Amino acid sequence: MAPTPPLQGARIGGPFTLTDQNGAQVTDRAFAGHYRIVYFGYTFCPDVCPTDVANLMHGWQLLSKTDAARADKIKSIFITVDPARDTPAVLKSFTANFDPRLIGLTGTPEAIAKVTRDYGVAFSPQKPTSPGVYFVDHTNAAYLMDPDGKPLALLPSDGTPQAIADELSKWIK
């Protein structure tokens, strides 16, 4: 008997309309039929976000080497919690540093507020230390969603790439 996904039935996710790193409008329906790694962060994050995204992408790349067919069923998505600074051009540069398949999404403050609420992600920009320089506290979670956009599991983004690849292997059919 197959294990039950830990997030099965959780109220995480939902419809969205955002802008990708190429400036194109994207809805959640663009990812229908694909498993999704969904991570919320911001490009100006000094440590946690780039480390987590690197781990997630390395885990996905490991799966690609051992089981390309299953890895190809995945779309990896980085959604900013800092739409004021994370323009499509900034996201394009950021995502290119990790994997050419990584999709960066931004939007209006209202659209970002909605998608974070739907995914149970909290975020709070801190007081600027100087003009335009501030940190954003946010929930640190990497969701694995199924091809219908339903939550399956949290990925260990702070773990090793092998742990991430193993978790992906466990749930990707």
Side-chain angles (χ1 to χ4, degrees):
M1 184 155 109
T4 300
L7 295 180
Q8 183 175 316
R11 298 176 98 179
I12 296 171
F16 60 77
T17 300
L18 297 170
T19 303
D20 73 10
Q21 73 271 16
N22 297 312
Q25 191 174 67
V26 175
T27 72
D28 57 292
R29 293 179 299 283
F31 307 109
H34 293 276
Y35 289 87
R36 298 153 225 185
I37 296 170
V38 182
Y39 183 84
F40 290 83
Y42 67 110
T43 66
F44 290 83
C45 180
D47 48 19
V48 174
C49 298
T51 300
D52 285 355
V53 172
N55 287 340
L56 290 165
M57 294 304 95
H58 288 138
W60 186 25
Q61 291 159 0
L62 277 176
L63 181 63
S64 293
K65 289 177 184 172
T66 61
D67 194 337
R70 282 202 290 174
D72 287 347
K73 294 179 179 183
I74 302 169
K75 297 285 185 187
S76 288
I77 305 163
F78 175 90
I79 302 176
T80 186
V81 295
D82 186 14
R85 292 184 292 186
D86 286 343
T87 63
V90 170
L91 284 173
K92 188 170 193 149
S93 176
F94 180 82
T95 58
N97 287 320
F98 299 100
D99 191 291
R101 301 170 293 175
L102 178 59
I103 299 160
L105 297 176
T106 190
T108 64
E110 296 79 17
I112 295 299
K114 179 193 179 305
V115 73
T116 55
R117 200 170 37 252
D118 289 348
Y119 276 80
V121 171
F123 70 99
S124 175
Q126 298 303 300
K127 184 177 178 180
T129 55
S130 60
V133 178
Y134 56 89
F135 298 106
V136 181
D137 290 336
H138 62 90
T139 304
N140 182 19
Y143 297 107
L144 178 62
M145 310 297 280
D146 76 10
D148 295 322
K150 305 288 186 218
L152 291 171
L154 288 171
L155 296 173
S157 58
D158 60 348
T160 66
Q162 187 61 58
I164 293 163
D166 292 345
E167 194 68 14
L168 291 170
S169 291
K170 185 175 183 179
W171 304 114
I172 305 298
K173 304 289 182 227

